[in-house]
Amino acid sequence: MSKNLRITPGDPFPEDLETLKDEKLQVLDSQVQRQLDHEIVADGESDPETEFRHHELDTEFQQREN
């Protein structure tokens, strides 16, 4: 799988998700989800950093809905 389709725990991650446009946030969410899926399949568990990023993205999406 192409590296740009996933964002690994060591890759840079935006500090302030509020500044991202919806489209960029959706792409970032897809990359994190793919990484999460990869970690679970490859390692049997997810990396805490990937879980944290996934949670941060979910929180941002919820805030944007309100």
Side-chain angles (χ1 to χ4, degrees):
M1 183 176 291
S2 177
K3 175 139 172 58
N4 65 348
L5 294 179
R6 295 191 321 246
I7 182 168
T8 68
D11 290 336
F13 190 78
E15 298 226 1
D16 186 4
L17 297 176
E18 291 180 20
T19 63
L20 298 178
K21 293 185 177 185
D22 288 347
E23 295 82 13
K24 177 62 179 164
L25 192 68
Q26 290 170 347
V27 168
L28 190 59
D29 183 57
S30 293
Q31 291 173 316
V32 169
Q33 185 61 54
R34 284 188 194 102
Q35 180 63 25
L36 190 61
D37 293 344
H38 172 77
E39 290 169 2
I40 291 170
V41 168
D43 303 328
E45 63 184 6
S46 58
D47 186 283
E49 181 64 23
T50 304
E51 283 287 341
F52 175 76
R53 290 174 174 187
H54 187 252
H55 174 72
E56 288 292 305
L57 287 161
D58 284 349
T59 300
E60 181 62 29
F61 279 119
Q62 289 173 1
Q63 289 176 353
R64 289 185 185 201
E65 287 178 359
N66 295 328

